[in-house]
Amino acid sequence: MDEKRKARSTPAVLMEIIKEEGLLAPYRGWFPVISSLCCSNFVYFYTFNSLKSLWLKGTAPTTGKDLTIGFIAGIVNVLVTTPLWVVNTRLKLQGAKFRSDDIKPTTYTGISDAFQKILQQEGVLSLWNGTLPSLLLVFNPAIQFMFYEGLKRQLLRQQAELSSFQVFVIGAIAKAIATAVTYPLQTVQSVLRAFRIFGSLQRS
């Protein structure tokens, strides 16, 4: 977004931000992020488990069913929580120092104020900016839960229950596989979100 920033590597940009904006600058917008993550995970897990209990009632779970349920739960999650992530992104950018004069950051006093101003100044549909690239990434949790449930079923055939360590390991493996498979989509999403945010900041 800020083309005039010379630093390119993550450590260099991080040190540059701390030097220019203070030690707490990297934590800017942490509360909206935590709030968004809590809501997002609640919506996803609630939808996933509800669909699983309804669809698989009396039938054996399969890899295909796990993937489909995860995909549907991901779509519901994106449609419900995208407004939170739009507000979250705006709040994270608030107070940042940009080198480009074309970027004019907005000023909000909090989450509710951000919602109100976005609705008044940009319209209700702007709260769903970036929905399309986010929908592409519903494959990430869908693939993650497909592998997680599959690995869990394999282990449960050999033992009565899983230990906390085993749950942690298969969860980590499933997430690593999902991230590796969908990483190109995450790159596309980042680029599209950057353009959308850049445009919204310019209009503000």
Side-chain angles (χ1 to χ4, degrees):
M1 286 169 48
D2 194 352
E3 296 179 353
K4 293 186 178 181
R5 185 178 288 276
K6 294 181 180 179
R8 298 301 177 191
S9 68
T10 299
V13 173
L14 181 61
M15 294 306 298
E16 202 171 71
I17 290 173
I18 292 175
K19 182 179 178 180
E20 294 179 357
E21 304 173 37
L23 190 61
L24 296 179
Y27 295 93
R28 183 173 47 239
W30 69 270
F31 182 74
V33 170
I34 296 299
S35 302
S36 299
L37 282 173
C38 288
C39 292
S40 181
N41 284 317
F42 171 79
V43 171
Y44 185 86
F45 281 104
Y46 181 83
T47 305
F48 181 87
N49 287 295
S50 297
L51 290 173
K52 187 177 178 181
S53 62
L54 289 173
W55 191 10
L56 301 182
K57 202 170 187 178
T59 62
T62 64
T63 300
K65 289 179 181 179
D66 289 336
L67 182 62
T68 302
I69 292 172
F71 186 77
I72 296 172
I75 292 175
V76 172
N77 179 42
V78 167
L79 295 177
V80 172
T81 64
T82 290
L84 285 173
W85 289 110
V86 170
V87 170
N88 165 61
T89 303
R90 302 287 186 89
L91 290 172
K92 279 201 297 184
L93 290 172
Q94 192 164 264
K97 293 183 180 179
F98 297 102
R99 285 167 167 70
S100 177
D101 296 330
D102 294 330
I103 305 178
K104 296 179 174 58
T106 51
T107 302
Y108 305 115
T109 59
I111 296 177
S112 59
D113 182 58
F115 268 111
Q116 185 179 355
K117 286 184 177 178
I118 292 173
L119 285 171
Q120 291 176 347
Q121 299 172 8
E122 303 172 43
V124 65
L125 292 180
S126 63
L127 288 171
W128 276 268
N129 280 346
T131 298
L132 182 58
S134 295
L135 284 173
L136 294 175
L137 277 173
V138 300
F139 285 104
N140 186 292
I143 293 172
Q144 176 186 347
F145 273 87
M146 178 187 72
F147 278 98
Y148 175 81
E149 293 292 335
L151 291 170
K152 186 171 72 172
R153 282 195 294 271
Q154 290 294 328
L155 289 174
L156 287 175
R157 289 174 184 172
Q158 304 170 14
Q159 57 193 80
E161 59 180 322
L162 302 181
S163 66
S164 299
F165 179 73
Q166 288 175 313
V167 171
F168 171 79
V169 171
I170 63 175
I173 293 173
K175 185 62 178 178
I177 294 173
T179 301
V181 171
T182 61
Y183 194 80
L185 294 177
Q186 294 182 49
T187 302
V188 172
Q189 183 200 48
S190 297
V191 172
L192 291 175
R193 277 184 173 177
F195 280 118
R196 288 178 183 275
I197 296 167
F198 180 78
S200 66
L201 289 174
Q202 284 184 313
R203 288 195 299 271
S204 299

